Amino acid sequence: MDLTSYAAWAVRLVNDLVPPPELIRLRQELAEVFDVAGDEEAVAGRLNALLVRYPVRPQLSAHDGAPWHLHLAEDPAATAVMGLAAVVAELGADRLGRCHEPRCGRAFLDTSSNRSRRYCSARCASRANVAAYRARRRQEAP
């Protein structure tokens, strides 16, 4: 079962979605996981606490002509938490991050092959690169 899509749902919840009232607390709790993304122990501790609070209920499903396979029960909180936990377990806590562009700070999942992602989007990466270029030009100018 690929849980990356569930982790992506967690990122969207932290960044973009206006959550229904029952998910406002979860949004803050997930944001706190990304806030400590540089500290593996802290990430694991927060995710473990969330896994207790939002238990996962797997279920067998067969749809669209596919054979029986596992899905997580339709609990948006549990799926988001489980998705992040799976990414950390399979790829490492350093795959969770906050955008390095100073005016942004959005959460992201680093799915690059060399763990090099620092920005949430190409737009933020471009903005940061342009700012760095302009700063260098200012320093070089007499």
Side-chain angles (χ1 to χ4, degrees):
M1 175 183 344
D2 178 22
L3 297 176
T4 307
S5 63
Y6 293 122
W9 150 244
V11 171
R12 285 192 313 276
L13 181 60
V14 169
N15 289 336
D16 300 325
L17 295 178
V18 177
E22 67 270 15
L23 295 180
I24 289 174
R25 178 179 179 190
L26 174 66
R27 179 184 198 158
Q28 180 58 40
E29 292 168 329
L30 293 174
E32 290 169 0
V33 172
F34 283 93
D35 291 343
V36 298
D39 181 345
E40 285 187 2
E41 293 292 325
V43 167
R46 289 179 191 263
L47 285 173
N48 280 335
L50 292 175
L51 286 167
V52 170
R53 185 169 310 144
Y54 304 105
V56 177
R57 294 182 327 272
Q59 61 188 26
L60 284 169
S61 177
H63 55 84
D64 303 324
W68 289 103
H69 56 280
L70 284 174
H71 275 271
L72 297 181
E74 293 301 317
D75 178 350
T79 58
V81 172
M82 183 62 191
L84 287 182
V87 165
V88 170
E90 292 176 26
L91 302 175
D94 59 344
R95 294 300 184 128
L96 308 182
R98 288 283 189 178
C99 186
H100 286 205
E101 206 287 317
R103 293 171 289 173
C104 182
R106 292 166 50 98
F108 66 84
L109 293 176
D110 182 357
T111 56
S112 67
S113 60
N114 60 358
R115 301 174 187 259
S116 62
R117 187 168 177 183
R118 297 183 316 151
Y119 302 101
C120 68
S121 65
R123 179 179 178 211
C124 280
S126 178
R127 187 183 306 152
N129 289 333
V130 168
Y133 171 78
R134 289 179 179 161
R136 284 192 307 273
R137 296 284 299 207
R138 282 192 299 272
Q139 290 177 346
E140 295 170 359

